[in-house]
Amino acid sequence: MTTTGDDHTAALTGPWWWERRLGAALDVGLAAVSAAECGAEGIAFAKDAGLPTAVGVGFGVLAGSSLLFRRRWPVAVVLIAIAITPAQMGFLLTIVGLYSLAASELPRRITGALAGMSMAGTLIVTMVRASRDLAEEGAHPPIGSEYVPFFAVAAAIGVTAPPVLLGLYVGARRRLMESLRERADDLERELQLLAERAEERAEWARGEERTRIAREMHDVVAHRVSLMVVHAAALQAVARKDPEKAVKNAALVGDMGRQALTELREMLGVLRTGDGGRRAQPVEPVEPVPLAAVGYAAAAAASRAVDEDGPCLAELDELVGQSRAAGMAVDLSVEGEPRGYAADVEQTAYRVVQEALTNVHKHAAGAKTYVRLAHRAAEIAMQVENEPPPEAGSTADARLPSGGNGLVGMKERVTGLGGVFVSGPTDGGGFRVSAVLPAAVPGVG
């Protein structure tokens, strides 16, 4: 795999302008060889120019050492090579300088101009030197004068073209690799962002499913347990005065407890079993499941828990009857023609009425309650309203605890299906819960 941008930056450990120590060592070695070459050629230059040998050698060493700066200032290196071309020195300096210039990030017009100047200088110097050598040979030159231009052009192209072409290729390849590295860095950052977002979505899904399961368990258990507490309070009040009624209330408490336990076991059983209703068998540890799958698994489990044997509006009479058996005066009225609704709609409507009746048991024991259900063309509406509770002490106080989650859970259920939920006290001192649900839930076939 490619290294990231941070790793690439950390790898730049060379001194000064070098990215790596190996590059610095290579340039130092090339500069040393070039200085030695130019210093040796400076002896002949000093002799031809009538200068002291030490001056010619020093000039050559200084010029050849400029190759040390080929990565930092390639233009300066090429200009020095062009400048010393008439002195017939700097062969290695010319080749390496042109290569470095072509491989750099400088504009191609600068590379072309300097390469043309170098080629022209090499061509002129070669022609002059060849003509001088022919003149020194006298009457028996090794080649004819007509071949001098051809030889000069070939030498100029041979010295200039290969390093320039190789430098252009290496520079293009380097830029391609940098582009690929940048794309890899961008892709890695993008994948990290996607992983973080997936983890956030999974965490959100887990929170939503925990809330959903808690709400379902609250609705399933709280109502029946509330009725059990109410019956137990009534049983305590009439145990000595009316044994027959006490026995009846005790039987109702037992029935309510068994029903609550049955519903709780069914819900927990669905959450713990796999397909087919069988208990999941322990398996060997496997590879970690992706975070994005956690939300889907939790959603599927909660959906099965709700969908299997979930309550419906046909059981509303039985629900009201249970509250009546607990001593509540409940008036049920239904408007419109009942028809089939989506399972989520019927379950939500049932849970709203159930939780509203549970709240009456908790907060207004003994108050008369009105349950109204209206079947309309495109929606179903329900309302549970209770009158003010009787004076304190007129009925047994069941002292039912309240977690404060009932109204919140009802609102979440209703708004989750695109409905409207309103609750609050009435002018007469009672309390009213109203909800309207669409007959067809969007996205449910």
Side-chain angles (χ1 to χ4, degrees):
M1 294 181 64
T2 20
T3 58
T4 63
D6 295 337
D7 295 337
H8 179 65
T9 303
L12 307 182
T13 57
W16 294 340
W17 57 83
W18 285 284
E19 294 182 355
R20 286 175 290 272
R21 298 181 185 275
L22 181 61
L26 175 63
D27 288 356
V28 170
L30 289 174
V33 174
S34 177
E37 177 203 351
C38 293
E41 293 171 344
I43 299 175
F45 169 69
K47 181 180 179 181
D48 293 340
L51 297 173
T53 303
V55 174
V57 172
F59 174 74
V61 170
L62 185 63
S65 300
S66 65
L67 200 58
L68 189 67
F69 308 100
R70 69 183 187 92
R71 299 177 192 264
R72 183 72 170 178
W73 299 294
V75 174
V77 173
V78 174
L79 289 176
I80 293 174
I82 295 173
I84 65 174
T85 299
Q88 300 181 10
M89 65 174 63
F91 177 75
L92 180 62
L93 180 65
T94 301
I95 293 178
V96 178
L98 288 174
Y99 165 81
S100 303
L101 177 66
S104 67
E105 301 295 332
L106 292 172
R108 291 292 164 254
R109 62 178 181 274
I110 296 179
T111 302
L114 292 178
M117 292 171 59
S118 178
M119 180 180 293
T122 303
L123 176 64
I124 294 173
V125 170
T126 303
M127 288 187 65
V128 171
R129 183 174 181 178
S131 299
R132 188 184 64 180
D133 291 343
L134 287 176
E136 291 178 355
E137 291 291 339
H140 303 284
I143 60 172
S145 58
E146 66 274 9
Y147 294 107
V148 171
F150 174 77
F151 176 74
V153 170
I157 295 176
V159 171
T160 306
V164 170
L165 294 178
L166 180 60
L168 291 175
Y169 166 75
V170 172
R173 185 175 180 274
R174 182 188 301 127
R175 285 187 291 273
L176 175 62
M177 295 302 295
E178 291 176 354
S179 174
L180 293 177
R181 185 182 295 110
E182 290 177 0
R183 290 178 61 182
D185 294 341
D186 293 340
L187 180 60
E188 184 176 355
R189 285 190 292 268
E190 202 172 314
L191 289 176
Q192 289 177 351
L193 288 176
L194 289 176
E196 291 174 1
R197 291 177 182 175
E199 187 172 357
E200 290 175 359
R201 287 195 297 268
E203 184 63 30
W204 175 84
R206 286 193 292 266
E208 287 292 314
E209 291 312 315
R210 282 195 295 266
T211 302
R212 180 178 177 180
I213 294 171
R215 182 172 62 241
E216 191 68 26
M217 294 181 67
H218 172 272
D219 292 345
V220 167
V221 178
H223 178 72
R224 300 196 184 279
V225 173
S226 298
L227 292 179
M228 290 171 59
V229 174
V230 171
H231 282 295
L235 176 61
Q236 183 180 4
V238 301
R240 295 182 179 180
K241 299 178 181 178
D242 192 347
E244 184 177 350
K245 188 174 182 180
V247 172
K248 182 179 179 181
N249 285 342
L252 288 174
V253 171
D255 290 340
M256 293 292 177
R258 282 188 290 273
Q259 291 175 4
L261 287 175
T262 300
E263 292 185 1
L264 184 59
R265 285 197 190 101
E266 289 177 355
M267 178 173 296
L268 295 179
V270 170
L271 294 176
R272 293 190 180 192
T273 56
D275 296 337
R278 296 174 298 174
R279 187 175 183 85
Q281 298 297 327
V283 296
E284 295 296 328
V286 295
E287 295 182 0
V289 179
L291 290 175
V294 175
Y296 298 114
S303 299
R304 290 195 300 270
V306 175
D307 295 340
E308 293 185 4
D309 300 328
C312 59
L313 291 176
E315 303 174 12
L316 202 58
D317 288 334
E318 181 182 355
L319 177 66
V320 172
Q322 293 173 354
S323 293
R324 286 172 179 165
M328 179 188 294
V330 186
D331 180 37
L332 174 64
S333 63
V334 180
E335 300 177 4
E337 289 295 330
R339 61 183 186 275
Y341 299 99
D344 288 343
V345 174
E346 294 212 11
Q347 291 169 17
T348 301
Y350 180 92
R351 295 300 189 195
V352 168
V353 175
Q354 182 187 56
E355 182 60 28
L357 291 176
T358 302
N359 287 342
V360 175
H361 284 294
K362 290 180 179 180
H363 307 292
K368 186 172 183 179
T369 306
Y370 303 90
V371 179
R372 301 182 181 91
L373 186 67
H375 300 276
R376 299 170 184 170
E379 61 188 18
I380 176 173
M382 65 227 66
Q383 184 182 90
V384 179
E385 180 180 350
N386 62 274
E387 295 179 351
E391 295 296 331
S394 59
T395 59
D397 184 10
R399 294 187 298 274
L400 290 169
S402 175
N405 298 317
L407 294 177
V408 175
M410 284 189 281
K411 185 174 182 179
E412 289 176 350
R413 283 182 178 275
V414 173
T415 56
L417 297 181
V420 178
F421 178 84
V422 178
S423 63
T426 62
D427 295 336
F431 199 84
R432 180 187 299 118
V433 173
S434 302
V436 178
L437 293 171
V441 181
V444 178

